[in-house]
Amino acid sequence: MSFSFNGQPVAAHAGETLAAALMAHGVEGVSLTRDGEPRQPLCNMGTCFDCAVTVDGRSLVRSCLTPVEDGMEVHSWQNH
Ligand code: FES
């Protein structure tokens, strides 16, 4: 299966989380600070929000808690 991240295709395995798939793909900047600096998943258990992304228009989705679905459109989430 696959999904897009910031417009680029990412291959994924069924049952893994978005965060795991993005890390396996070597993505930097899963989310972004107010200044646009990259943030990466940290706790991997839903508490820090450093893995926040936008999924199919839904903002502030924690990628470490979200299973991959084929065809998802995922973007970095930026803190404003
Ligand atoms: S990595 Fe901390 S909430 Fe997802």
Side-chain angles (χ1 to χ4, degrees):
M1 62 174 42
S2 67
F3 62 98
S4 68
F5 182 71
N6 294 338
Q8 300 299 314
V10 177
H13 300 285
E16 69 182 344
T17 64
L18 278 173
L22 291 169
M23 293 295 92
H25 196 69
V27 165
E28 294 186 8
V30 171
S31 64
L32 303 170
T33 67
R34 291 180 187 180
D35 297 328
E37 295 296 318
R39 298 168 67 189
Q40 299 297 92
L42 179 64
C43 72
N44 208 33
M45 60 184 203
T47 59
C48 73
F49 280 76
D50 280 349
C51 68
V53 292
T54 298
V55 178
D56 296 333
R58 286 180 294 123
S59 180
L60 208 53
V61 174
R62 288 169 290 182
S63 61
C64 69
L65 300 180
T66 305
V68 169
E69 293 178 20
D70 197 41
M72 283 175 150
E73 290 186 19
V74 182
H75 292 87
S76 299
W77 179 82
Q78 184 166 9
N79 191 0
H80 294 285

Coordinates of all heavy atoms in Angstrom, one line a residue:
M1 N 0.8 -1.2 0.0 CA 0.0 0.0 0.0 C 0.9 1.2 0.0 O 2.1 1.2 0.2 CB -1.0 0.0 1.2 CG -0.3 0.0 2.6 SD -1.5 0.2 3.9 CE -2.8 -0.9 3.5
S2 N 0.3 2.4 -0.3 CA 1.0 3.6 -0.3 C 0.1 4.8 0.1 O -1.1 4.7 0.0 CB 1.7 3.8 -1.6 OG 0.7 4.1 -2.6
F3 N 0.8 5.9 0.5 CA 0.1 7.1 0.7 C 1.0 8.2 0.3 O 2.2 8.0 -0.1 CB -0.2 7.3 2.2 CG 0.9 7.3 3.2 CD1 1.4 8.5 3.6 CD2 1.5 6.1 3.6 CE1 2.5 8.5 4.5 CE2 2.6 6.1 4.4 CZ 3.1 7.3 4.9
S4 N 0.6 9.5 0.3 CA 1.4 10.6 -0.1 C 1.8 11.4 1.2 O 1.0 11.6 2.1 CB 0.8 11.5 -1.1 OG -0.3 12.1 -0.6
F5 N 3.0 11.9 1.2 CA 3.4 12.8 2.2 C 4.0 14.1 1.6 O 5.0 14.0 0.8 CB 4.5 12.2 3.1 CG 4.9 13.0 4.3 CD1 4.1 13.3 5.3 CD2 6.2 13.7 4.3 CE1 4.4 14.2 6.4 CE2 6.6 14.5 5.3 CZ 5.7 14.7 6.3
N6 N 3.4 15.2 1.8 CA 3.8 16.4 1.2 C 3.9 16.3 -0.3 O 4.8 16.8 -1.0 CB 5.0 17.0 1.8 CG 4.9 17.4 3.2 OD1 3.7 17.7 3.7 ND2 6.0 17.5 4.0
G7 N 3.0 15.5 -0.9 CA 2.9 15.3 -2.3 C 3.8 14.2 -2.9 O 3.7 13.9 -4.1
Q8 N 4.6 13.6 -2.0 CA 5.5 12.5 -2.5 C 5.0 11.1 -2.1 O 4.5 11.0 -0.9 CB 6.9 12.7 -1.9 CG 7.5 14.0 -2.3 CD 7.7 14.2 -3.8 OE1 8.2 13.3 -4.5 NE2 7.3 15.3 -4.4
P9 N 5.1 10.1 -2.9 CA 4.6 8.8 -2.6 C 5.5 8.1 -1.5 O 6.7 8.3 -1.5 CB 4.6 8.0 -3.9 CG 5.7 8.7 -4.7 CD 5.6 10.2 -4.3
V10 N 4.8 7.5 -0.6 CA 5.5 6.7 0.5 C 4.9 5.3 0.5 O 3.7 5.1 0.7 CB 5.3 7.4 1.9 CG1 6.0 6.5 3.0 CG2 5.9 8.8 1.9
A11 N 5.8 4.3 0.4 CA 5.4 2.9 0.5 C 5.2 2.5 2.0 O 5.9 3.0 2.8 CB 6.4 2.0 -0.1
A12 N 4.2 1.7 2.3 CA 3.9 1.3 3.6 C 3.4 -0.1 3.7 O 3.0 -0.7 2.7 CB 2.9 2.3 4.2
H13 N 3.5 -0.7 4.9 CA 3.0 -2.0 5.1 C 1.7 -2.0 5.9 O 1.6 -1.1 6.8 CB 4.0 -2.8 5.9 CG 5.4 -3.0 5.3 ND1 5.6 -3.8 4.2 CD2 6.5 -2.3 5.5 CE1 6.8 -3.7 3.8 NE2 7.4 -2.8 4.6
A14 N 0.8 -2.8 5.6 CA -0.5 -2.9 6.3 C -0.2 -3.1 7.8 O 0.7 -3.9 8.2 CB -1.3 -4.0 5.8
G15 N -0.9 -2.4 8.7 CA -0.8 -2.5 10.1 C 0.2 -1.6 10.8 O 0.3 -1.5 12.0
E16 N 1.1 -0.9 10.0 CA 2.0 0.0 10.7 C 1.4 1.4 10.8 O 0.4 1.7 10.1 CB 3.4 0.0 9.9 CG 3.4 0.7 8.6 CD 4.8 0.6 7.9 OE1 5.8 0.4 8.6 OE2 4.8 0.9 6.7
T17 N 2.0 2.2 11.7 CA 1.5 3.5 11.8 C 2.1 4.5 10.8 O 3.1 4.2 10.2 CB 1.8 4.1 13.2 OG1 3.2 4.2 13.4 CG2 1.2 3.2 14.3
L18 N 1.4 5.6 10.6 CA 2.0 6.6 9.7 C 3.4 7.0 10.2 O 4.3 7.2 9.4 CB 1.1 7.9 9.7 CG -0.1 7.8 8.8 CD1 -1.0 9.1 9.1 CD2 0.3 7.7 7.4
A19 N 3.6 7.2 11.5 CA 4.9 7.6 12.0 C 5.9 6.5 11.7 O 7.0 6.9 11.2 CB 4.8 7.8 13.5
A20 N 5.6 5.3 11.8 CA 6.6 4.2 11.5 C 6.9 4.2 10.0 O 8.1 4.1 9.6 CB 6.0 2.9 11.9
A21 N 5.9 4.4 9.2 CA 6.2 4.4 7.7 C 7.0 5.6 7.3 O 7.9 5.5 6.5 CB 4.8 4.4 7.0
L22 N 6.7 6.8 8.0 CA 7.5 8.0 7.6 C 8.9 7.9 8.1 O 9.9 8.3 7.4 CB 6.8 9.2 8.3 CG 5.5 9.6 7.6 CD1 4.8 10.6 8.5 CD2 5.6 10.1 6.2
M23 N 9.2 7.3 9.3 CA 10.5 7.1 9.8 C 11.3 6.1 8.9 O 12.4 6.3 8.6 CB 10.5 6.6 11.2 CG 10.0 7.6 12.2 SD 11.0 9.1 12.4 CE 10.2 10.2 11.2
A24 N 10.6 5.0 8.5 CA 11.2 4.0 7.6 C 11.6 4.6 6.3 O 12.6 4.1 5.6 CB 10.3 2.8 7.5
H25 N 10.9 5.6 5.9 CA 11.1 6.3 4.6 C 12.2 7.4 4.7 O 12.5 7.9 3.7 CB 9.8 6.8 4.1 CG 9.8 7.2 2.6 ND1 9.8 6.3 1.6 CD2 9.7 8.4 2.0 CE1 9.8 6.9 0.4 NE2 9.8 8.2 0.6
G26 N 12.6 7.6 5.9 CA 13.7 8.7 6.1 C 13.2 10.1 6.0 O 13.9 11.0 5.8
V27 N 11.9 10.3 6.3 CA 11.3 11.6 6.2 C 11.8 12.5 7.4 O 11.8 12.0 8.5 CB 9.7 11.5 6.2 CG1 9.1 12.9 6.5 CG2 9.2 10.9 4.9
E28 N 12.1 13.7 7.1 CA 12.4 14.7 8.1 C 11.3 15.7 8.0 O 10.8 16.1 7.0 CB 13.8 15.3 7.9 CG 14.9 14.4 8.1 CD 16.3 15.0 8.0 OE1 16.3 16.3 8.0 OE2 17.3 14.3 8.0
G29 N 10.9 16.3 9.2 CA 9.9 17.3 9.2 C 8.5 16.7 9.1 O 7.7 17.2 8.4
V30 N 8.3 15.7 9.9 CA 6.9 15.1 10.0 C 6.0 16.2 10.4 O 4.9 16.4 9.9 CB 6.9 13.9 11.0 CG1 5.5 13.5 11.3 CG2 7.7 12.8 10.5
S31 N 6.4 17.0 11.4 CA 5.7 18.2 11.7 C 6.7 19.4 11.8 O 7.9 19.1 11.7 CB 4.9 18.1 13.1 OG 5.8 18.0 14.1
L32 N 6.3 20.6 11.9 CA 7.2 21.7 11.8 C 6.9 22.7 12.9 O 5.7 22.9 13.4 CB 6.9 22.5 10.5 CG 7.1 21.7 9.2 CD1 6.6 22.5 8.0 CD2 8.6 21.2 9.0
T33 N 8.0 23.3 13.4 CA 7.8 24.3 14.5 C 7.2 25.6 13.8 O 7.1 25.7 12.6 CB 9.2 24.7 15.1 OG1 10.0 25.3 14.1 CG2 9.9 23.5 15.6
R34 N 6.9 26.6 14.7 CA 6.5 27.9 14.2 C 7.4 28.5 13.2 O 7.0 29.2 12.3 CB 6.2 28.8 15.3 CG 5.1 28.4 16.2 CD 4.9 29.4 17.3 NE 3.9 28.9 18.2 CZ 3.5 29.4 19.3 NH1 4.0 30.6 19.7 NH2 2.5 28.9 20.1
D35 N 8.7 28.2 13.4 CA 9.8 28.8 12.5 C 10.0 27.9 11.3 O 11.0 28.2 10.5 CB 11.0 29.0 13.3 CG 10.9 30.0 14.4 OD1 10.1 31.0 14.2 OD2 11.5 29.9 15.4
G36 N 9.3 26.8 11.2 CA 9.5 25.9 10.0 C 10.6 24.9 10.2 O 11.0 24.2 9.3
E37 N 11.1 24.8 11.5 CA 12.1 23.8 11.7 C 11.4 22.4 11.9 O 10.3 22.3 12.4 CB 12.8 24.1 13.0 CG 13.6 25.3 13.0 CD 14.8 25.3 12.0 OE1 15.5 24.2 11.9 OE2 15.0 26.3 11.3
P38 N 12.1 21.3 11.4 CA 11.5 20.0 11.4 C 11.4 19.4 12.8 O 12.3 19.6 13.7 CB 12.5 19.2 10.6 CG 13.8 19.9 10.6 CD 13.4 21.3 10.8
R39 N 10.3 18.7 13.0 CA 10.1 18.0 14.3 C 9.8 16.5 13.9 O 9.2 16.2 12.9 CB 8.9 18.5 15.0 CG 9.1 19.9 15.5 CD 7.8 20.5 16.0 NE 7.3 19.9 17.2 CZ 6.2 20.1 17.8 NH1 5.3 20.9 17.2 NH2 5.8 19.5 18.9
Q40 N 10.3 15.6 14.7 CA 10.1 14.2 14.5 C 9.4 13.5 15.6 O 9.4 14.0 16.7 CB 11.5 13.5 14.4 CG 12.4 14.1 13.2 CD 11.8 13.9 11.9 OE1 11.1 14.7 11.3 NE2 12.1 12.7 11.3
P41 N 8.8 12.4 15.4 CA 8.1 11.7 16.4 C 9.1 11.4 17.6 O 10.2 11.1 17.4 CB 7.7 10.4 15.8 CG 7.5 10.7 14.3 CD 8.6 11.7 14.1
L42 N 8.6 11.6 18.8 CA 9.5 11.5 20.0 C 9.0 10.4 20.9 O 9.7 9.4 21.2 CB 9.5 12.8 20.7 CG 10.4 12.9 22.0 CD1 11.8 12.6 21.6 CD2 10.2 14.2 22.7
C43 N 7.8 10.5 21.4 CA 7.3 9.6 22.5 C 6.8 8.3 21.8 O 6.8 7.2 22.5 CB 6.3 10.2 23.4 SG 4.7 10.4 22.6
N44 N 6.2 8.4 20.7 CA 5.6 7.3 20.0 C 4.5 6.6 20.8 O 4.2 5.4 20.6 CB 6.7 6.2 19.6 CG 6.3 5.4 18.3 OD1 5.6 6.0 17.5 ND2 6.6 4.2 18.3
M45 N 3.8 7.4 21.6 CA 2.7 6.8 22.4 C 1.6 7.9 22.6 O 0.8 7.7 23.5 CB 3.2 6.3 23.7 CG 3.8 7.2 24.6 SD 4.4 6.4 26.1 CE 4.5 7.8 27.2
G46 N 1.6 9.0 21.8 CA 0.4 9.8 21.8 C 0.5 11.0 22.8 O -0.6 11.7 22.9
T47 N 1.6 11.3 23.4 CA 1.6 12.4 24.4 C 2.3 13.6 24.0 O 1.9 14.7 24.5 CB 2.2 11.9 25.7 OG1 3.5 11.5 25.5 CG2 1.4 10.7 26.3
C48 N 3.2 13.6 23.1 CA 4.1 14.8 22.8 C 3.6 15.6 21.6 O 3.9 16.8 21.5 CB 5.5 14.4 22.6 SG 5.9 13.6 21.0
F49 N 2.9 15.1 20.7 CA 2.4 15.7 19.5 C 3.5 16.1 18.6 O 3.3 16.9 17.6 CB 1.5 16.9 19.8 CG 0.1 16.5 20.2 CD1 -0.2 16.0 21.5 CD2 -1.0 16.7 19.3 CE1 -1.5 15.6 21.8 CE2 -2.3 16.3 19.6 CZ -2.5 15.7 20.9
D50 N 4.7 15.7 18.8 CA 5.8 16.0 17.8 C 5.6 15.3 16.5 O 6.4 15.6 15.6 CB 7.1 15.6 18.4 CG 7.6 16.7 19.4 OD1 7.0 17.8 19.5 OD2 8.6 16.4 20.1
C51 N 4.7 14.4 16.4 CA 4.4 13.6 15.2 C 3.2 14.1 14.4 O 2.7 13.4 13.5 CB 4.3 12.1 15.5 SG 2.8 11.8 16.5
A52 N 2.7 15.3 14.8 CA 1.4 15.7 14.3 C 1.5 15.9 12.8 O 2.5 16.5 12.3 CB 1.0 17.0 15.0
V53 N 0.4 15.5 12.1 CA 0.3 15.7 10.6 C -1.1 16.1 10.3 O -2.0 16.1 11.2 CB 0.7 14.4 9.9 CG1 2.1 14.0 10.0 CG2 -0.2 13.2 10.4
T54 N -1.3 16.5 9.1 CA -2.7 16.7 8.5 C -3.0 15.5 7.6 O -2.2 15.1 6.8 CB -2.7 18.0 7.8 OG1 -2.5 19.1 8.6 CG2 -4.1 18.2 7.1
V55 N -4.1 14.8 7.9 CA -4.5 13.7 7.1 C -5.8 13.9 6.4 O -6.8 14.2 7.1 CB -4.6 12.4 8.0 CG1 -5.1 11.2 7.1 CG2 -3.3 12.1 8.7
D56 N -5.8 13.9 5.1 CA -7.1 14.1 4.3 C -7.8 15.4 4.8 O -9.1 15.3 5.0 CB -7.9 12.9 4.3 CG -7.3 11.7 3.6 OD1 -6.4 11.9 2.8 OD2 -7.6 10.5 4.0
G57 N -7.1 16.4 5.1 CA -7.7 17.7 5.6 C -7.9 17.8 7.1 O -8.3 18.8 7.5
R58 N -7.7 16.7 7.8 CA -7.9 16.7 9.3 C -6.6 17.1 9.9 O -5.6 16.5 9.7 CB -8.3 15.4 9.8 CG -9.8 15.0 9.5 CD -10.2 13.7 10.1 NE -9.4 12.6 9.4 CZ -8.7 11.7 10.0 NH1 -8.5 11.7 11.3 NH2 -8.0 10.8 9.3
S59 N -6.6 18.2 10.7 CA -5.4 18.8 11.2 C -5.1 18.1 12.6 O -6.0 17.7 13.3 CB -5.6 20.3 11.4 OG -4.5 20.9 12.0
L60 N -3.8 18.2 13.0 CA -3.3 17.8 14.3 C -3.6 16.3 14.6 O -4.0 15.9 15.7 CB -3.9 18.7 15.4 CG -3.1 18.9 16.6 CD1 -1.7 19.3 16.3 CD2 -3.8 19.8 17.6
V61 N -3.4 15.5 13.6 CA -3.5 14.0 13.7 C -2.2 13.5 14.2 O -1.1 13.7 13.6 CB -3.9 13.4 12.4 CG1 -3.9 11.8 12.5 CG2 -5.3 13.9 11.9
R62 N -2.2 12.7 15.3 CA -0.9 12.1 15.8 C -0.6 10.9 14.9 O -1.3 9.8 15.0 CB -1.1 11.7 17.2 CG -1.1 12.9 18.2 CD -1.5 12.6 19.5 NE -2.9 12.3 19.6 CZ -3.6 12.0 20.7 NH1 -2.9 11.9 21.8 NH2 -4.8 11.7 20.7
S63 N 0.5 11.0 14.2 CA 0.8 9.9 13.2 C 1.3 8.6 14.0 O 1.2 7.5 13.4 CB 1.9 10.4 12.3 OG 3.1 10.7 12.9
C64 N 1.7 8.8 15.2 CA 2.2 7.6 15.9 C 1.0 6.7 16.4 O 1.2 5.6 16.8 CB 3.0 7.9 17.1 SG 2.1 8.8 18.5
L65 N -0.2 7.3 16.3 CA -1.4 6.5 16.8 C -2.3 6.2 15.6 O -3.4 5.6 15.8 CB -2.2 7.3 17.8 CG -1.5 7.7 19.1 CD1 -2.5 8.5 19.9 CD2 -1.0 6.5 19.8
T66 N -1.9 6.5 14.4 CA -2.8 6.4 13.2 C -2.3 5.3 12.3 O -1.2 5.5 11.7 CB -2.8 7.8 12.5 OG1 -3.2 8.8 13.4 CG2 -3.8 7.7 11.3
P67 N -3.1 4.3 12.1 CA -2.7 3.2 11.1 C -2.7 3.8 9.7 O -3.6 4.6 9.3 CB -3.8 2.2 11.3 CG -4.5 2.5 12.6 CD -4.3 3.9 12.8
V68 N -1.8 3.3 8.9 CA -1.7 3.7 7.5 C -3.0 3.1 6.8 O -3.4 2.0 7.0 CB -0.5 3.1 6.8 CG1 -0.5 3.2 5.3 CG2 0.8 3.8 7.4
E69 N -3.5 3.9 5.9 CA -4.6 3.5 5.0 C -4.1 3.8 3.6 O -3.5 4.9 3.3 CB -5.9 4.2 5.3 CG -6.5 3.8 6.6 CD -7.8 4.5 7.0 OE1 -8.4 5.0 6.0 OE2 -8.1 4.5 8.1
D70 N -4.4 2.9 2.6 CA -4.0 3.1 1.3 C -4.6 4.4 0.7 O -5.8 4.7 0.9 CB -4.4 1.9 0.4 CG -3.7 1.9 -0.9 OD1 -2.5 2.2 -0.9 OD2 -4.3 1.5 -1.9
G71 N -3.8 5.3 0.1 CA -4.3 6.5 -0.6 C -4.4 7.7 0.3 O -4.9 8.7 -0.2
M72 N -4.1 7.6 1.6 CA -4.1 8.8 2.4 C -3.3 9.9 1.9 O -2.3 9.7 1.3 CB -3.5 8.5 3.8 CG -4.4 7.7 4.7 SD -3.4 7.3 6.2 CE -4.7 7.3 7.5
E73 N -3.8 11.1 2.1 CA -3.0 12.3 1.7 C -2.5 13.0 3.0 O -3.4 13.5 3.8 CB -3.8 13.3 0.8 CG -4.1 12.8 -0.5 CD -4.7 13.8 -1.5 OE1 -4.7 15.0 -1.2 OE2 -5.3 13.3 -2.5
V74 N -1.3 12.9 3.3 CA -0.7 13.4 4.5 C 0.3 14.5 4.3 O 1.0 14.5 3.3 CB 0.1 12.2 5.2 CG1 0.6 12.6 6.6 CG2 -0.8 11.0 5.3
H75 N 0.2 15.5 5.2 CA 1.1 16.7 5.1 C 1.7 17.0 6.5 O 1.0 16.7 7.5 CB 0.3 17.9 4.6 CG -0.1 17.8 3.2 ND1 -1.3 17.2 2.8 CD2 0.5 18.2 2.0 CE1 -1.4 17.3 1.5 NE2 -0.3 17.9 1.0
S76 N 2.8 17.6 6.5 CA 3.4 18.1 7.7 C 2.4 19.0 8.4 O 1.8 19.8 7.7 CB 4.7 18.8 7.5 OG 5.7 18.0 6.9
W77 N 2.3 18.9 9.7 CA 1.5 19.9 10.4 C 2.4 21.0 11.0 O 3.5 20.6 11.5 CB 0.7 19.2 11.5 CG -0.2 20.2 12.3 CD1 -1.4 20.7 12.0 CD2 0.2 20.8 13.6 NE1 -1.8 21.6 12.9 CE2 -0.9 21.7 13.9 CE3 1.3 20.8 14.4 CZ2 -0.9 22.5 15.1 CZ3 1.3 21.6 15.5 CH2 0.2 22.4 15.9
Q78 N 2.0 22.2 10.9 CA 2.9 23.3 11.4 C 2.2 24.0 12.5 O 1.1 24.5 12.4 CB 3.3 24.3 10.3 CG 4.3 25.3 10.9 CD 5.0 26.1 9.8 OE1 4.6 26.0 8.6 NE2 6.0 26.9 10.1
N79 N 2.9 24.1 13.6 CA 2.4 24.9 14.8 C 2.4 26.4 14.4 O 3.4 26.9 13.9 CB 3.4 24.6 16.0 CG 2.8 25.2 17.3 OD1 1.7 25.7 17.3 ND2 3.5 25.0 18.3
H80 N 1.3 27.1 14.7 CA 1.2 28.5 14.3 C 1.2 29.3 15.6 O 0.7 29.0 16.6 CB 0.0 28.8 13.5 CG 0.1 28.1 12.1 ND1 0.9 28.6 11.1 CD2 -0.5 27.0 11.6 CE1 0.7 27.8 10.1 NE2 -0.1 26.8 10.3
Ligands
FES1 S1 5.3 10.7 18.8 FE1 4.6 11.7 20.6 S2 2.4 12.0 20.2 FE2 3.2 10.9 18.5

